[in-house]
Amino acid sequence: MSTRALARVAARRDGRPLTEPVSRPMATPPAVLAVMRAARIICRTPRDAVMFAVHCTFMAEGYVLLAAGDNVDPMMIQTKEEEPDDGLPKRRPDPHLGWNDMDDEYAFKYCALGDYDNLGGKPRRGRYSGAILKAMHVGNTLMVHAVRTEDGVRSETLASAEFALATHAKDADEVTLAADPSLALANVADLVAATRSSLIDPITPPNKEDEAKGDDAGERAKTGTSSAAAGG
């Protein structure tokens, strides 16, 4: 399933109409679980499940996955040669491939949903925003770092969080993990909330619509204050 389709799954599960613009949806536990199950990936350990849930929170929040694992390279998407257009439909590779192949490390690279060209299967031409998410397993904790990107290049906007596996993971065997990785999560709501507040919110610029609403509210407040002063 394409990453754009996974965003539509999140929208449907969260009760938002699919025709509604999804510039930055809010990741909720049901939406994150829907994205996890629709992705149909394999988690080998409960640690994998926790990290994949963090990643799916980014996707449910409005990020499209471009690459994962060793394929996360700032130059890779900018320099790779495009296949010649022979008029035949092409099946795009799943960007999740290799996501948990690195020893004790994870990496994901995203494009903001509003800047993604679904037909072309890549970020739109011109300036696009996104994020890079990386994590390292140290002791019994996932040390996670996120950075905002502009045109695939890291910015100075960073965020970090620590996820203790004793808090966020449950014991699960390989059969359980293969059937449903979410069963290895101790508390989905807490994990999603921590991911949003510690990693996503600090690096994600506000929606233009939200900024406009904020400006309008500020203008109304100023107008109200001026009117009150004049009346007094």
Side-chain angles (χ1 to χ4, degrees):
M1 182 176 288
S2 71
T3 50
R4 180 84 180 208
L6 290 174
R8 290 172 63 83
V9 167
R12 184 183 297 111
R13 185 62 184 84
D14 200 29
R16 298 188 305 272
L18 296 181
T19 55
E20 178 183 328
V22 190
S23 54
R24 189 193 168 186
M26 179 182 292
T28 63
V32 171
L33 289 175
V35 173
M36 287 187 70
R37 290 161 181 158
R40 298 180 181 178
I41 51 80
I42 297 297
C43 289
R44 302 189 183 99
T45 63
R47 182 188 80 200
D48 277 357
V50 172
M51 190 63 225
F52 199 73
V54 172
H55 153 64
C56 287
T57 303
F58 271 75
M59 294 189 68
E61 191 76 14
Y63 284 95
V64 178
L65 182 65
L66 300 177
D70 287 331
N71 295 318
V72 174
D73 184 329
M75 297 301 296
M76 191 168 178
I77 294 175
Q78 298 173 5
T79 60
K80 69 178 183 180
E81 296 183 0
E82 297 184 1
E83 296 182 22
D85 186 5
D86 53 11
L88 298 176
K90 296 178 176 61
R91 183 175 182 179
R92 303 186 188 101
D94 183 355
H96 284 105
L97 291 176
W99 76 274
N100 59 349
D101 284 352
M102 297 190 295
D103 293 336
D104 296 326
E105 293 183 34
Y106 303 91
F108 303 88
K109 185 173 183 177
Y110 308 96
C111 170
L113 183 59
D115 294 334
Y116 188 75
D117 178 6
N118 191 48
L119 293 177
K122 58 185 177 182
R124 300 182 189 279
R125 291 184 178 181
R127 191 174 182 84
Y128 74 91
S129 61
I132 290 178
L133 177 68
K134 290 193 173 184
M136 179 176 291
H137 179 224
V138 180
N140 200 36
T141 301
L142 280 172
M143 313 289 288
V144 188
H145 306 279
V147 58
R148 192 168 81 202
T149 61
E150 297 294 341
D151 296 331
V153 179
R154 292 172 175 84
S155 70
E156 296 181 357
T157 306
L158 307 170
S160 299
E162 296 182 8
F163 295 99
L165 297 181
T167 301
H168 295 288
K170 295 191 300 186
D171 290 336
D173 56 28
E174 293 182 1
V175 175
T176 300
L177 286 166
D180 187 351
S182 68
L183 296 177
L185 304 178
N187 189 311
V188 179
D190 286 350
L191 183 58
V192 170
T195 300
R196 294 188 69 245
S197 63
S198 300
L199 296 172
I200 296 176
D201 288 346
I203 69 166
T204 304
N207 289 343
K208 293 181 180 179
E209 293 180 359
D210 292 340
E211 288 181 330
K213 291 178 181 177
D215 292 341
D216 290 343
E219 288 298 325
R220 287 195 298 271
K222 290 179 182 178
T223 301
T225 303
S226 300
S227 300

